[in-house]
Amino acid sequence: GVGSRIGQYLERRAAEEAVHQSEAHKAAVLASSLDCIITMNHEGRVVEFNEAAERTFGYTREHAVGRELAELVIPPDLRQRHREGLARYLSTGEGPLLDARVEIRAVRADGSEFPVELTVTPIRLQGPPTFTGFVRDITDRKRAEEDRERLLELERNARTAAEEAERQATSLAEASALLDESLDYDATLRRLAQLAVPQLAD
């Protein structure tokens, strides 16, 4: 009856509104994320490329969507491994990098390479899977880590030099004390030689 048709219409409208809200939420997340969010289909082609990815990699979304991901953001020497990994996942359902946080190299539109932190999540719905990668440029973090390592190395070198200087000062003080204590020239030279030989050996 009429009531049934009205009920079906209202249910359909509610479902459409839910889909609309879901799509709006997805668009807001993609646009506001500080991380690059790149979705790839089972053929290895980009289907989503958010604003952070545009800024980081130097491609517009329009340019990226439909292109092979490997050609856009993966350095040439890693592209074959990427393709083989995708093929292996599609045939076996296994992928060691999936759902793990890894550090790899990526490449920008201008050809410059840089370090990124990457997490790839497979999305298994009806039909072939898609893969969403969350990518973070860690250039600044790696630079800070390298600066910290350099400072630690300088500190270690300075400590070693200070310890060596202290050891030499102690040896000189012992030698001076011997000179003050002894008036026997030959005995003093022998004792100085005994002190000096280990130092010279070092």
Side-chain angles (χ1 to χ4, degrees):
V2 173
S4 172
R5 286 198 300 274
I6 292 174
Q8 290 174 352
Y9 172 77
L10 291 176
E11 286 178 10
R12 190 170 64 251
R13 289 289 297 156
E16 290 171 355
E17 181 60 23
V19 169
H20 176 72
Q21 290 294 331
S22 175
E23 289 297 319
H25 177 70
K26 173 188 165 189
V29 169
L30 286 172
S32 62
S33 175
L34 296 177
D35 287 337
C36 305
I37 301 177
I38 303 172
T39 300
M40 174 187 78
N41 67 14
H42 67 287
E43 296 177 330
R45 299 194 174 279
V46 174
V47 295
E48 189 54 70
F49 202 78
N50 76 337
E51 291 177 23
E54 289 182 314
R55 290 191 299 272
T56 298
F57 290 99
Y59 297 107
T60 64
R61 181 182 183 280
E62 290 72 23
H63 178 85
V65 169
R67 303 284 294 275
E68 187 192 15
L69 179 74
E71 292 290 337
L72 289 178
V73 303
I74 298 176
D77 61 317
L78 299 179
R79 287 175 188 164
Q80 190 56 34
R81 278 172 49 192
H82 164 79
R83 293 172 181 131
E84 290 168 358
L86 175 59
R88 185 168 55 250
Y89 177 81
L90 293 174
S91 63
T92 67
E94 296 178 0
L97 297 184
L98 298 178
D99 296 317
R101 183 177 294 183
V102 295
E103 290 185 10
I104 63 168
R105 290 178 289 119
V107 64
R108 294 187 175 89
D110 64 8
S112 60
E113 294 189 12
F114 64 107
V116 299
E117 188 175 76
L118 167 70
T119 302
V120 178
T121 301
I123 302 171
R124 304 173 186 92
L125 300 173
Q126 288 184 344
T130 59
F131 308 85
T132 294
F134 300 88
V135 183
R136 179 172 299 172
D137 182 349
I138 57 172
T139 301
D140 291 341
R141 190 177 85 193
K142 296 298 277 187
R143 188 175 296 127
E145 288 172 0
E146 290 166 3
D147 288 347
R148 182 174 176 273
E149 279 302 313
R150 277 195 294 272
L151 286 173
L152 287 173
E153 181 65 22
L154 286 172
E155 183 183 341
R156 284 192 291 268
N157 292 341
R159 187 180 301 120
T160 300
E163 289 169 357
E164 177 61 22
E166 183 178 355
R167 193 163 61 86
Q168 290 178 357
T170 301
S171 295
L172 288 173
E174 289 175 0
S176 177
L178 281 176
L179 286 172
D180 288 343
E181 288 174 6
S182 176
L183 297 176
D184 183 338
Y185 183 72
D186 291 336
T188 299
L189 284 179
R190 280 195 300 275
R191 294 186 69 185
L192 279 174
Q194 289 170 354
L195 283 173
V197 165
Q199 299 299 316
L200 292 171
D202 280 350

